[in-house]
Amino acid sequence: MEIITNVTEGVINKAAKALKDAHLVAFPTETVYGLGADATNETAVGRIYSAKGRPTNHPVIVHISSIKLLDKWAIEIPEYAINLASEFWPGPMTLILKRSNLAEDFITGGQDNVGLRVPNHSIALALLTEFEKLGGYGIAAPSANRFGAVSPTTAKAVNRELCNFLQIEDLILDGGQCLVGVESTIIDCVKDYPVVLRPGAVTIEMIETITSLQSSTKFNKNLTKASGLLESHYSPKAKVIICADVEPGEGFIAMSTTLTPDGVIRLAAPTDIEQYARDLYSAFRDADIKGIASIKIVPPEGNGLAEAIRDRILKASSR
Ligand code: TXA
Ligand code: MG
């Protein structure tokens, strides 16, 4: 496996060819790094599952270069979903739609729906466009971490997660730190109103404004411990505890307005919500690298992106 830091046009071409040849390419998006494979190649997609150690009945998101490819992958698309796609793509939003024949069981986990996203990152978009020029239809890409672990927001983090599980021809494209830092908002568009399955940077308020519809949510909004209920934990090795009462030797994450008590290892002190999202996963990773046993964390308050951050904190603390 090769990590490429200077991602030129030539590198994009090499990576697109690698995908066509059923190899894996990890690439940056604005949310987190994805582990990509040709979404129409069962063997290639199977390698994603083995590299991640992920159960095979989990569906993967198909990434496409533009809204124009939407009806290759989906059918019976409701008008509100078209409105969302027109407004927020490229961007941190995944739409779940009724699948076309192109979306096979190995992509959808046997479900009748497919997750689609146009990422907003120059490297991801260049790779998708080049891959489509070579005859590809889309790149299947879950977050580039081992199953249940924290999503990587840098190429170095991808390498740490997956170096033992990738093969010699696989590539990691380095696009620096991801700007959003938490995974895309997932919106189920199969009913006649949107259902938010995972909160993200495209917020419930934004969705309701664009669709003029009342959305519903299917994620845990209460910051109470829900161990065992959540299938994916987004967890560091360190124990994550939602609590401001931090002891010396423990890691601590809170907004910068909360000071660091003596002897406490400050892992992040974001000054705003955007920075909180961007730095959360690297703070978790940092704790593991430093061998910290427990992290106390004060979740941000408010709606919008703060809701997505609380969702990830809750998942990280639920095990
Ligand atoms: O920001 C993101 O969405 C990143 C970047 C790489 O695009 N991707 C990502 O993928 O977070 P992943 O696989 O780590 O998380 C996607 C979630 C999974 O929990 C999966 O079960 C769900 O989306 N999902 C994918 N396709 C689905 C479908 N057809 N129906 C319901 N859930 C689906
Ligand atoms: Mg993931």
Side-chain angles (χ1 to χ4, degrees):
M1 173 269 303
E2 190 186 349
I3 306 182
I4 306 180
T5 47
N6 183 17
V7 183
T8 59
E9 277 177 29
V11 167
I12 292 291
N13 178 262
K14 174 177 165 164
K17 281 186 176 147
L19 288 169
K20 282 300 280 175
D21 290 340
H23 302 304
L24 301 184
V25 176
F27 60 95
T29 79
E30 79 280 37
T31 58
V32 300
Y33 275 71
L35 180 62
D38 180 347
T40 60
N41 184 324
E42 184 165 12
T43 311
V45 174
R47 284 215 41 236
I48 293 181
Y49 286 95
S50 50
K52 279 184 64 91
R54 190 188 213 201
T56 46
N57 59 350
H58 272 227
V60 282
I61 298 170
V62 177
H63 296 68
I64 51 179
S65 69
S66 97
I67 190 172
K68 289 184 198 137
L69 277 99
L70 196 52
D71 51 16
K72 287 238 180 301
W73 286 96
I75 57 169
E76 297 167 26
I77 307 166
E79 198 184 327
Y80 75 83
I82 304 275
N83 294 341
L84 287 169
S86 314
E87 183 69 24
F88 298 121
W89 280 349
M93 176 185 76
T94 298
L95 300 182
I96 308 290
L97 296 161
K98 192 157 181 201
R99 68 169 166 180
S100 73
N101 290 338
L102 199 54
E104 295 191 55
D105 284 351
F106 59 83
I107 287 292
T108 69
Q111 300 182 66
D112 214 21
N113 307 321
V114 62
L116 296 166
R117 173 161 118 83
V118 180
N120 188 14
H121 191 291
S122 57
I123 292 177
L125 287 170
L127 180 63
L128 285 161
T129 306
E130 186 70 9
F131 181 64
E132 287 158 14
K133 267 192 207 152
L134 298 180
Y137 289 99
I139 302 177
S143 52
N145 51 278
R146 293 284 288 167
F147 180 65
V150 175
S151 296
T153 53
T154 62
K156 206 171 167 182
V158 176
N159 187 37
R160 250 191 227 114
E161 280 282 321
L162 298 178
C163 61
N164 294 331
F165 305 96
L166 295 177
Q167 294 177 358
I168 189 153
E169 300 91 344
D170 299 334
L171 300 172
I172 299 176
L173 306 183
D174 188 346
Q177 195 192 3
C178 300
L179 282 179
V180 175
V182 293
E183 304 82 352
S184 62
T185 308
I186 300 182
I187 311 169
D188 186 338
C189 299
V190 172
K191 295 207 176 78
D192 47 16
Y193 56 93
V195 181
V196 179
L197 302 182
R198 180 174 73 183
V202 168
T203 65
I204 290 160
E205 295 76 14
M206 289 156 80
I207 295 165
E208 294 190 343
T209 304
I210 292 305
T211 61
S212 307
L213 293 169
Q214 177 108 36
S215 64
S216 85
T217 52
K218 259 199 187 165
F219 58 89
N220 195 338
K221 286 185 145 190
N222 301 320
L223 279 176
T224 50
K225 215 166 149 69
S227 193
L229 289 179
L230 301 156
E231 49 175 86
S232 176
H233 295 314
Y234 301 77
S235 300
K237 290 191 187 74
K239 196 168 168 50
V240 177
I241 304 159
I242 300 171
C243 169
D245 194 7
V246 56
E247 305 284 329
E250 289 183 324
F252 188 44
I253 301 172
M255 294 292 283
S256 61
T257 44
T258 304
L259 298 179
T260 314
D262 285 341
V264 162
I265 305 146
R266 190 64 178 248
L267 296 165
T271 53
D272 58 32
I273 297 295
E274 285 72 25
Q275 195 188 355
Y276 203 133
R278 192 157 55 239
D279 291 351
L280 179 67
Y281 289 157
S282 51
F284 283 166
R285 280 179 192 284
D286 205 22
D288 286 348
I289 291 166
K290 292 189 166 109
I292 293 171
S294 73
I295 303 169
K296 296 275 172 66
I297 186 161
V298 183
E301 287 172 11
N303 300 331
L305 186 57
E307 208 151 27
I309 298 169
R310 289 199 298 274
D311 169 75
R312 304 318 189 272
I313 292 173
L314 181 63
K315 284 174 173 160
S317 67
S318 302
R319 69 182 167 112

